[in-house]
Amino acid sequence: MKINITENAQQYLSGKGVDNKYVFLALDDGSSKFSKLGGSCAIGNKFQLVVSPAADTDYTDSIENNADLELTSSKEEETYLGSGLSLDYKMGLLKLSDNSGVLDGAVSVQQYEPKDVQDKASMKKDMQELGNKIC
């Protein structure tokens, strides 16, 4: 898989601490372990870039890119990604698109620190609270 990251997007991402980190292109629809969002209206059309100090065994599919990022994804995300992937930054938003059109017009960038088992209860509580705010 290959993605073109525009110069504007590269400049934006450089301010988000992606250098020398692992970056995962992950769904943000409630189906990935990094997602706090979800709901029927978000399935397959909401993405995020997760910046981590460590690799993740679930995100091993390398995405070739022109920004020299250690960018990977998982099999689940590949279902929703087509040919001609592009990431652009305009008007304060990251836009992910492919040859079919815009996949997500507001890709978020999240810093991730691996959590220990005790933090799972806290993450579950966060997701339950968000559940009332999303579709």
Side-chain angles (χ1 to χ4, degrees), residues 86-104:
S86 177
L87 187 65
D88 194 11
Y89 181 76
K90 288 184 182 176
M91 299 173 57
L93 298 170
L94 278 174
K95 177 180 76 172
L96 179 66
S97 58
D98 66 11
N99 289 340
S100 70
V102 176
L103 301 174
D104 185 351

Side-chain angles (χ1 to χ4, degrees), residues 12-13 16 18 23-29 34-37 45-51 87 92-96 104-111:
Y12 174 75
L13 291 172
K16 294 292 186 180
V18 297
V23 181
F24 314 125
L25 177 59
L27 286 164
D28 195 13
D29 61 2
F34 302 115
S35 180
K36 289 186 178 180
L37 300 177
N45 71 352
K46 190 81 184 109
F47 290 87
Q48 63 182 327
L49 295 174
V50 179
V51 182
L87 187 65
L93 298 170
L94 278 174
K95 177 180 76 172
L96 179 66
D104 185 351
V107 176
S108 62
V109 179
Q110 306 297 325
Q111 296 293 325

Side-chain angles (χ1 to χ4, degrees), residues 19-94:
D19 294 335
N20 301 315
K21 300 273 179 92
Y22 295 89
V23 181
F24 314 125
L25 177 59
L27 286 164
D28 195 13
D29 61 2
S31 67
S32 85
K33 64 181 167 186
F34 302 115
S35 180
K36 289 186 178 180
L37 300 177
S40 61
C41 65
I43 294 173
N45 71 352
K46 190 81 184 109
F47 290 87
Q48 63 182 327
L49 295 174
V50 179
V51 182
S52 175
D56 188 290
T57 57
D58 294 329
Y59 287 79
T60 58
D61 296 350
S62 182
I63 302 175
E64 183 182 339
N65 65 86
N66 58 318
D68 294 325
L69 296 177
E70 187 68 40
L71 181 62
T72 58
S73 195
S74 76
K75 296 285 182 218
E76 288 76 19
E77 282 77 10
E78 288 182 18
T79 302
Y80 303 100
L81 304 172
S83 298
L85 280 176
S86 177
L87 187 65
D88 194 11
Y89 181 76
K90 288 184 182 176
M91 299 173 57
L93 298 170
L94 278 174

